[in-house]
Structure formats: structure tokens, C-alpha cells
Amino acid sequence: MRDPVEEPERPRRQMHPLPRGLVELYGLLAVLFVLVPEWMAGGVLSGFRDARDGSELPLPSMAWQRLPELQLATMGLAELRQLACRERICGYASMGRQRLTNRLLRRLSRRRRGPRTL
């Protein structure tokens, strides 16, 4: 351990304070170069969201409406289970997504009376 009496203290360097006007100029530049573009970008993005009606995604093509495989792929697990209940598939509540989708596709492919849509 060093004894503080033995070592002479080094003189602290004096920092020259920046003039007040220069500090205010740096603050103004920070606002102009950082915050203003952020506000502009946020305004533009909210304008895009407000002008858009309906879904955030593009409209599905006719293939998405025609093919049950694509329709089932877009459904959540709860929707798949509701469809399985309507189709009277036994044990649908304990099935995973993949197995439930396969069972629904088999059931829907057997049902050829009407169009192939759900």
C-alpha cells in the first residue's frame, strides 16, 4: 500500500469551459440533425398507416381464395380448431397444428360437392 505522504500530488489540469454560445449552438445542431428528421419520418409513417384502409397486407389473389391448402395456412390454431369442430373431426382439441391441417385437408378433399373453398 502506498503512503500518500510520500508521493507528491500532481496538479490537476484546468479544463477551459466552452463559451455558452457554443454550447447552445451544439444543442441546436443536435436538434436539427437528429430530432427533426426523426419527427419527419414518424409523421410520414403515420400518414401511410392512416391513409390505408383495411388490412396491412395486400389483397389475396384468387389462388388464396380457391385453394384450401393456402386458406388453412393463413389460419391460426384457434380458427383451425373451430373449422375442425364444424367439420366434426374427433379429437381436434388435442391435435397439433400440422396434424390438424392434414386432417382438415383430407376431409375437405373428400367433400367435392361444391367449390373447393372453405
Side-chain angles (χ1 to χ4, degrees):
M1 189 171 212
R2 296 181 184 174
D3 189 15
V5 177
E6 292 177 15
E7 290 182 23
E9 282 190 31
R10 292 183 189 171
R12 289 191 164 201
R13 286 183 21 179
Q14 285 291 330
M15 305 279 284
H16 297 289
L18 291 175
R20 183 174 176 86
L22 193 58
V23 172
E24 289 179 4
L25 177 67
Y26 287 160
L28 179 65
L29 290 175
V31 168
L32 288 176
F33 290 127
V34 176
L35 296 179
V36 171
E38 288 288 331
W39 291 332
M40 290 172 54
V44 168
L45 290 176
S46 69
F48 284 145
R49 261 185 255 123
D50 294 341
R52 186 173 220 161
D53 293 331
S55 175
E56 294 283 327
L57 299 174
L59 292 174
S61 66
M62 287 302 293
W64 285 91
Q65 297 170 5
R66 241 185 10 253
L67 298 172
E69 295 88 359
L70 296 176
Q71 288 180 341
L72 292 177
T74 61
M75 290 181 169
L77 188 57
E79 294 171 312
L80 289 172
R81 287 183 174 158
Q82 288 174 351
L83 181 61
C85 182
R86 282 195 308 246
E87 293 292 324
R88 297 190 175 117
I89 295 177
C90 295
Y92 67 88
S94 63
M95 290 183 196
R97 180 183 181 84
Q98 188 62 44
R99 186 169 179 214
L100 187 56
T101 302
N102 291 340
R103 291 278 306 269
L104 282 167
L105 283 174
R106 272 189 272 142
R107 176 68 58 94
L108 293 172
S109 67
R110 277 192 245 145
R111 191 181 71 180
R112 299 263 177 153
R113 290 178 240 155
R116 286 192 68 192
T117 59
L118 300 175

